[in-house]
Amino acid sequence: MNQTLPTIKEMAIRLKVSTSTVSRALSNHPRIGLKTRMEVQKLAKEIGYEANAKAIFFKEKRSNIIGVIVPQIREEFFSEAISGIESIAVEKDYTILFAQSFDDPEREEKVVDSMRKQRVDGLIISLSKQTTKFSHFHKLDKLNIPVVYFDRVPSFSNAHKVYCDLYTGTIKMIQWLFKKGYRRIGLINGPSNLAASKERLKGYIDGIVKQHLKVDMQLVEETDFSKETTCRAMHKLLNQKHPPTAIISFNDYVHMDAVQFAISNNIKVNRDIAFVSYANLPITGHIAYPPLISIEQYPFAQGSKAIEVLISLIQNQAQIADTDFVSIEVSPDLKETPVVSSPYY
Amino acid sequence: MNQTLPTIKEMAIRLKVSTSTVSRALSNHPRIGLKTRMEVQKLAKEIGYEANAKAIFFKEKRSNIIGVIVPQIREEFFSEAISGIESIAVEKDYTILFAQSFDDPEREEKVVDSMRKQRVDGLIISLSKQTTKFSHFHKLDKLNIPVVYFDRVPSFSNAHKVYCDLYTGTIKMIQWLFKKGYRRIGLINGPSNLAASKERLKGYIDGIVKQHLKVDMQLVEETDFSKETTCRAMHKLLNQKHPPTAIISFNDYVHMDAVQFAISNNIKVNRDIAFVSYANLPITGHIAYPPLISIEQYPFAQGSKAIEVLISLIQNQAQIADTDFVSIEVSPDLKETPVVSSPYY
DNA sequence: AAAAAATGCGCATTCGGTTGCGCAAAATTC
DNA sequence: GAATTTTGCGCAACCGAATGCGCATTTTTT
């Protein structure tokens, strides 16, 4: 067990030169003679010298570490996004410090604090559902730690953001349905207090209006994401005088529950009623009745974009005025469900 | 923009004491008088002083950072595992440095190296499918960085491991099927070169033998995880003189593809043929035909266990002999698919 | 009242590198 | 051959905190 690691000091002693010479020789400083340089580098290789990154980071006041906080990694959207973030990070020699808020503002504050204490070079975060306080983020400003919000972004404008515009996506979706001949379009939305639900509803209403259809709030139901309330919503939608001929589900999970309910009510999925959804998860490639189309939100791309923005912020920190805020809207697309290979365990 | 952060030096000057006094006052050293202590702590609060963790980590030679490497975060098994790791980490004031190998040994080596350079306090890793070289891990030993392998663990014994014994799980599953009256049990296995496939096959054979049934290799097919080969495997299984009455799929994704194929061949799922699987993913709670039972591998628990072992290794580093290796087998269970709420995007 | 112990604080070193500056020797110029 | 430039290297400061040791005071003990 090699308790003491090789340092430049040791090498300096062994080679009877100063530590500064060793340091410069290792970084190929032209002022160090070729002979000395070679000797130093040879010895370094021999004893397996490796600079202590902690010492350097300490002196240089950077760590090459980027913090990433998402509500829950088990949500496929976020695991894809992190995958995108991580793959760019490795490319650019950054590492990812990872944490989850579990949609709890208190935990979010705690993990943001711990990232601050670790002095990450920058932070990428998708906010918890309930975040209303931003004081823990302001503390980052004092340390000059740039923040890029993604997907669940704050509403104020003085922040760097990368997100997907579901409002427009919803309008596109309704346009698509209209073109296919669907006129009574239902929506199983999420809880009305969520921003994501409001966005969808706004897009839904404006989309309906845009096609010169009548907005009928009988066609809008809510789910709290449990199978029960989704089924209840389906029940209400199906048992009206004029039931919908197309149903938009809040996400692919809700879609699956809705489809199951439809089947058990002898409805021919995508024939009697068309089902469409948001998200476009890999799993939908394996289910019997995937949505006809999904709104693809490109989590991997959003993640990649977010870290690219962040790295440029980090590297140009000095030149950036407080008033330049990056705001990137990833345009959602309508996508049919692709066939995918299953992951391997 | 507060370019210069408060340091003990500044506080020392302002209070006309030495930095050592400030340092000790902040940590409530008894040798510092109560009055001085209070003054220092008051000023610290006022100017929002916070010790520079980098300086401390540098001096103390630890970072409170634990590295975690998995093949792919988008595999639900691993995202659950990391969730388990992260939740314990936050509790114990560690943070998680995260990376993926994407099942590429070269990338694995690269990310292990970057974790080493970052001087993580310890490493948790699930190996890539193809890892055969371990030199990058040996380099960690020199730095006294303990490693805990989980799920995909190496075969040599001198390593700390946490994993799930699928061999036993498979035997249990066959016993369960036998008790339910199934006698012709098929297996859609993964590629035969994978350790995970070998383990399942061994369990399958021994399980069949244990029930005094005859091993019939006609009942064992392979998939490369694409829908096509899974369907081909199903086709072969169904078109024999005596087709299986129960089918074990390699994982829930393969299960879904297999079930889809069965349905399109007018087979009543779980009536004509019983379907069982490994993994027990949250998504199976949303599909129409979940496996009758799944082998639950407790990824969250495995992750939690792994980090607990690692933290104890880190904290008792001095006392631990090189010969004490922890090896924890998480016992797999047979589980019916639970109904779950959908995650929210 | 002298000796011993407790109190309160500062000096200087350490962690492992990087870097500005200076100085001597060698090489070049005029 | 003197002046200038280039080459090669070392000294010492610095990053921000922790800490062993020592030195005065003050307090307690005998």
Side-chain angles (χ1 to χ4, degrees), chain A residues 284-309:
Chain A
T284 56
H286 297 276
I287 63 178
Y289 299 102
L292 274 184
I293 51 161
S294 268
I295 294 188
E296 168 65 61
Q297 299 176 58
Y298 302 105
F300 193 95
Q302 276 195 57
S304 313
K305 207 76 209 163
I307 190 170
E308 277 169 5
V309 169

Side-chain angles (χ1 to χ4, degrees), chain A residues 168-236:
Chain A
T168 308
T170 307
I171 291 178
K172 276 191 200 170
M173 182 170 259
I174 288 178
Q175 188 174 20
W176 186 91
L177 288 169
F178 185 87
K179 276 192 189 146
K180 293 279 177 182
Y182 298 102
R183 292 296 177 269
R184 279 192 69 74
I185 300 168
L187 171 66
I188 304 180
N189 207 2
S192 54
N193 62 316
L194 295 184
S197 303
K198 289 178 192 155
E199 209 177 344
R200 282 164 170 82
L201 182 60
K202 195 156 173 290
Y204 171 84
I205 291 174
D206 290 3
I208 294 285
V209 168
K210 202 172 171 190
Q211 303 305 326
H212 308 292
L213 295 174
K214 222 179 63 201
V215 174
D216 180 355
M217 289 311 284
Q218 290 248 71
L219 291 173
V220 179
E221 287 294 332
E222 277 183 22
T223 178
D224 62 5
F225 308 123
S226 71
K227 207 168 208 159
E228 291 73 42
T229 59
T230 299
C231 288
R232 209 173 302 146
M234 278 296 286
H235 183 82
K236 279 197 193 168

Side-chain angles (χ1 to χ4, degrees), chain A residues 46-223:
Chain A
E46 261 178 45
I47 62 175
Y49 169 80
E50 221 172 41
N52 182 339
K54 272 192 205 151
I56 297 174
F57 293 159
F58 167 51
K59 188 169 173 17
E60 307 286 314
K61 297 174 183 305
R62 53 175 188 81
S63 56
N64 276 24
I65 297 179
I66 286 174
V68 176
I69 301 172
V70 298
Q72 279 207 53
I73 187 69
R74 48 174 288 187
E75 294 183 24
E76 242 172 314
F77 178 88
F78 292 121
S79 60
E80 291 274 342
I82 291 200
S83 195
I85 292 173
E86 197 265 345
S87 57
I88 299 284
V90 169
E91 226 175 75
K92 308 223 171 178
D93 275 321
Y94 280 87
T95 49
I96 296 301
L97 205 57
F98 164 73
Q100 305 177 86
S101 69
F102 288 113
D103 273 316
D104 171 5
E106 271 183 45
R107 199 177 204 266
E108 178 175 285
E109 188 168 344
K110 180 169 181 186
V111 295
V112 169
D113 279 351
S114 74
M115 301 246 162
R116 176 168 47 78
K117 283 179 192 150
Q118 286 282 356
R119 298 286 201 269
V120 293
D121 288 348
L123 184 66
I124 297 176
I125 185 166
S126 190
L127 295 172
S128 93
K129 279 184 227 175
Q130 322 284 355
T131 300
T132 50
K133 275 182 54 193
F134 286 85
S135 55
H136 43 305
F137 295 108
H138 299 327
K139 287 196 221 158
L140 296 173
D141 297 342
K142 288 190 197 154
L143 296 177
N144 287 326
I145 299 175
V147 179
V148 173
Y149 297 88
F150 93 104
D151 191 56
R152 296 213 211 138
V153 302
S155 49
F156 47 80
S157 64
N158 53 341
H160 307 286
K161 309 174 190 178
V162 176
Y163 60 98
C164 193
D165 175 19
L166 289 186
Y167 167 77
T168 308
T170 307
I171 291 178
K172 276 191 200 170
M173 182 170 259
I174 288 178
Q175 188 174 20
W176 186 91
L177 288 169
F178 185 87
K179 276 192 189 146
K180 293 279 177 182
Y182 298 102
R183 292 296 177 269
R184 279 192 69 74
I185 300 168
L187 171 66
I188 304 180
N189 207 2
S192 54
N193 62 316
L194 295 184
S197 303
K198 289 178 192 155
E199 209 177 344
R200 282 164 170 82
L201 182 60
K202 195 156 173 290
Y204 171 84
I205 291 174
D206 290 3
I208 294 285
V209 168
K210 202 172 171 190
Q211 303 305 326
H212 308 292
L213 295 174
K214 222 179 63 201
V215 174
D216 180 355
M217 289 311 284
Q218 290 248 71
L219 291 173
V220 179
E221 287 294 332
E222 277 183 22
T223 178

Side-chain angles (χ1 to χ4, degrees), chain A residues 17-18 20-21 24 31-33 36 58-59 61:
Chain A
V17 294
S18 73
S20 26
T21 301
R24 281 190 258 249
R31 274 305 185 77
I32 303 300
T36 315
F58 167 51
K59 188 169 173 17
K61 297 174 183 305

Side-chain angles (χ1 to χ4, degrees), chain B residues 60-343:
Chain B
E60 308 287 315
K61 299 175 184 303
R62 51 174 192 81
S63 56
N64 276 25
I65 296 178
I66 287 174
V68 177
I69 300 173
V70 298
Q72 279 206 54
I73 187 71
R74 46 174 288 188
E75 293 182 24
E76 245 173 311
F77 179 89
F78 291 121
S79 60
E80 291 274 341
I82 291 201
S83 196
I85 292 172
E86 197 264 344
S87 58
I88 299 285
V90 169
E91 225 175 74
K92 308 222 171 177
D93 275 320
Y94 280 87
T95 49
I96 297 302
L97 206 57
F98 165 74
Q100 306 178 86
S101 69
F102 288 113
D103 273 315
D104 171 5
E106 272 183 46
R107 198 176 206 266
E108 178 176 286
E109 188 168 344
K110 181 169 180 186
V111 295
V112 169
D113 279 351
S114 74
M115 300 243 162
R116 177 169 46 79
K117 283 180 191 148
Q118 286 282 356
R119 299 284 201 269
V120 294
D121 288 348
L123 184 66
I124 297 176
I125 185 166
S126 189
L127 294 173
S128 94
K129 279 184 229 176
Q130 322 284 356
T131 300
T132 51
K133 277 182 52 194
F134 287 85
S135 55
H136 43 305
F137 294 109
H138 298 328
K139 288 196 219 158
L140 296 174
D141 297 342
K142 288 190 196 153
L143 296 178
N144 287 325
I145 298 175
V147 179
V148 173
Y149 297 88
F150 92 104
D151 191 54
R152 297 213 211 136
V153 301
S155 48
F156 47 79
S157 64
N158 54 341
H160 307 285
K161 308 174 189 177
V162 175
Y163 61 99
C164 193
D165 175 20
L166 290 187
Y167 167 76
T168 307
T170 307
I171 292 178
K172 275 190 199 170
M173 181 170 259
I174 289 178
Q175 186 174 20
W176 186 89
L177 287 168
F178 186 86
K179 275 194 189 146
K180 294 277 177 183
Y182 299 101
R183 293 295 179 269
R184 279 192 72 72
I185 299 168
L187 170 66
I188 304 179
N189 207 1
S192 54
N193 63 316
L194 295 184
S197 302
K198 289 177 192 156
E199 209 178 342
R200 282 165 171 81
L201 182 60
K202 195 155 174 289
Y204 172 82
I205 292 174
D206 290 3
I208 294 285
V209 169
K210 203 172 170 190
Q211 304 305 325
H212 309 291
L213 297 173
K214 223 177 60 200
V215 175
D216 179 356
M217 290 312 283
Q218 291 246 73
L219 291 174
V220 178
E221 288 294 331
E222 277 183 21
T223 179
D224 63 4
F225 307 124
S226 72
K227 206 167 208 159
E228 291 72 42
T229 59
T230 300
C231 287
R232 208 174 302 144
M234 277 297 285
H235 183 81
K236 279 199 194 167
L237 287 177
L238 298 183
N239 289 284
Q240 347 189 319
K241 276 162 284 177
H242 301 292
T245 53
I247 291 177
I248 305 173
S249 295
F250 182 88
N251 67 24
D252 286 336
Y253 292 95
V254 172
H255 163 85
M256 285 192 272
D257 292 342
V259 161
Q260 251 184 274
F261 182 88
I263 289 172
S264 63
N265 281 265
N266 295 315
I267 284 168
K268 295 258 180 262
V269 173
N270 291 342
R271 295 188 61 97
D272 298 344
I273 299 179
F275 283 82
V276 297
S277 176
Y278 297 80
N280 201 20
L281 304 182
I283 55 156
T284 57
H286 297 277
I287 64 179
Y289 298 102
L292 275 185
I293 52 161
S294 270
I295 294 189
E296 167 67 61
Q297 300 175 58
Y298 303 105
F300 193 94
Q302 277 194 56
S304 313
K305 207 76 208 162
I307 191 170
E308 278 169 4
V309 169
L310 183 62
I311 290 179
S312 83
L313 287 172
I314 291 170
Q315 295 180 344
N316 306 311
Q317 214 142 31
Q319 296 96 298
I320 292 182
D322 276 2
T323 47
D324 297 337
F325 290 104
V326 179
S327 187
I328 297 178
E329 283 187 18
V330 172
S331 171
D333 279 337
L334 301 185
K335 282 247 179 150
E336 291 178 30
T337 304
V339 173
V340 295
S341 267
S342 80

